[in-house]
Amino acid sequence: MMVLVARSISGCFKHTQTLAKVILTDLAPAERSYVLGNFNAFGSMGFIIGPTIGGHLVQLENGFRTVCCLAALIFITNTCLIAFMVPETLAKSEGYQNLDTKTKSKENSTGNFSRSEVASITNFTLVTVLVLRFLFSFATLVPRSNLLLIMEEKYEASVVSVGYLNSLQATVATLTGFIVGPVIGQIYKEDNRMMVIHGSIAQSISLIGLFFSPTFQIAGLALMLLSASNPFLRVSITSLSLGGSDDHGAILGLGQTATSLARMLSPLVAGIAQQGLSNDGPALLGAISACLGALCVILFIPAQSSINAKPKYS
């Protein structure tokens, strides 16, 4: 019972990464892709190092208690770092509110869009981006939900081989995260819509390759491509969702809800697909979800200039 209560409390207040992203987007709006890319890369490093350390500690006497205390100590350390080393962003947000209040008092006319048209574009795009976040998260999580079982049954791979494959995927995601900012900023010129289109195509190709892969090595290459495309999609979708609004906290919170919904549904759907179809069922569902996401971007996400359109008051 105590474990359930502890997990419930942790689940309610563990969203420190989402809150940190809000702070980063407020502190460095002009370098959003670069900052979020590096942030996600360091987060992926935690997924590489954390399980290794936890696996060794849990084998000691009172190992589970040791792991819990270490996690609590890390949370306390993060709290101190944020409190004493990160500058306050509230004043900046109040400045935006004051500026917006003054702007609203001016004449309601625009050069290209009316205020209602801009609001309609922003709200419609935000809903679409949240749907995209769910689809791409679902496409990534479904094939990995029963990855160990699928690799053992389909390719007769050992647990050790699958473990090395998982570590390699995390390493690729980490290394890719460090180049997300330069790629989006210098090559794509902050055109996040085009980056999402190309990333979704890469994700679709990787999942289709996983579906048709005849050997464990080919499946591993497909998963490498999937891991490499994910950091670009995460940063680009986040930038798209934040492009037309200053309510960074609310938007990122909604995005996290969409991701959590995909994380909750993917194990159930993957199990049903594996049992009802075959070991390739989860990869097929992931490919369909990724293709639907790519289609939604092309059809429903307007050009970058329209997303970020701002009223011009005379």
Side-chain angles (χ1 to χ4, degrees), residues 13-17 19-20 23 39 70-88:
F13 298 100
K14 73 178 182 64
H15 304 288
T16 51
Q17 286 201 13
L19 297 174
I23 296 174
F39 181 83
L70 179 60
L73 179 61
I74 293 174
F75 270 104
I76 294 173
T77 303
N78 287 338
T79 301
C80 295
L81 289 175
I82 294 294
F84 296 109
M85 299 187 67
V86 177
E88 180 62 67

Side-chain angles (χ1 to χ4, degrees), residues 39-300:
F39 181 83
N40 291 333
F42 279 102
S44 298
M45 290 175 61
F47 286 105
I48 299 174
I49 301 172
T52 303
I53 297 176
H56 284 86
L57 290 178
V58 79
Q59 295 178 354
L60 302 176
E61 185 178 358
N62 295 323
F64 181 73
R65 181 176 298 176
T66 302
V67 171
C68 293
C69 291
L70 179 60
L73 179 61
I74 293 174
F75 270 104
I76 294 173
T77 303
N78 287 338
T79 301
C80 295
L81 289 175
I82 294 294
F84 296 109
M85 299 187 67
V86 177
E88 180 62 67
T89 61
L90 181 60
K92 188 174 181 180
S93 300
E94 289 177 348
Y96 285 146
Q97 279 187 338
N98 294 335
L99 179 62
D100 186 60
T101 301
K102 293 178 182 179
T103 304
K104 287 180 179 178
S105 64
K106 295 185 179 181
E107 183 180 0
N108 184 21
S109 63
T110 66
N112 297 316
F113 298 96
S114 67
R115 183 185 297 274
S116 60
E117 289 173 334
V118 172
S120 177
I121 290 173
T122 301
N123 294 333
F124 177 74
T125 302
L126 178 58
V127 172
T128 307
V129 167
L130 293 177
V131 173
L132 289 178
R133 185 178 289 275
F134 172 81
L135 288 174
F136 290 133
S137 298
F138 185 79
T140 302
L141 294 168
V142 164
R144 291 173 170 167
S145 296
N146 299 326
L147 184 62
L148 175 60
L149 181 60
I150 292 173
M151 292 297 174
E152 287 179 342
E153 292 185 356
K154 184 177 180 181
Y155 305 110
E156 298 182 353
S158 65
V159 177
V160 175
S161 298
V162 178
Y164 279 118
L165 178 60
N166 289 333
S167 297
L168 188 57
Q169 290 182 75
T171 303
V172 169
T174 299
L175 296 177
T176 307
F178 286 114
I179 65 172
V180 168
V183 169
I184 296 178
Q186 299 178 16
I187 298 179
Y188 284 86
K189 307 300 181 183
E190 299 296 336
D191 189 350
N192 291 287
R193 177 181 180 271
M194 189 58 63
M195 182 70 260
V196 173
I197 292 175
H198 291 167
S200 61
I201 292 174
Q203 191 181 59
S204 301
I205 293 173
S206 66
L207 291 169
I208 293 173
L210 181 62
F211 176 77
F212 289 106
S213 59
T215 63
F216 178 76
Q217 289 76 14
I218 301 298
L221 291 176
L223 289 171
M224 293 303 101
L225 178 59
L226 181 64
S227 298
S229 63
N230 284 338
F232 291 98
L233 283 171
R234 290 168 62 186
V235 173
S236 299
I237 292 176
T238 299
S239 297
L240 278 178
S241 62
L242 297 175
S245 174
D246 293 327
D247 298 328
H248 297 163
I251 293 174
L252 289 177
L254 287 173
Q256 185 64 36
T257 300
T259 303
S260 298
L261 180 61
R263 186 176 290 111
M264 179 184 68
L265 293 176
S266 57
L268 174 63
V269 176
I272 294 174
Q274 186 177 359
Q275 184 176 4
L277 299 175
S278 67
N279 287 325
D280 295 322
L284 177 62
L285 289 180
I288 293 174
S289 181
C291 290
L292 287 175
L295 189 63
C296 286
V297 176
I298 296 172
L299 294 180
F300 300 117

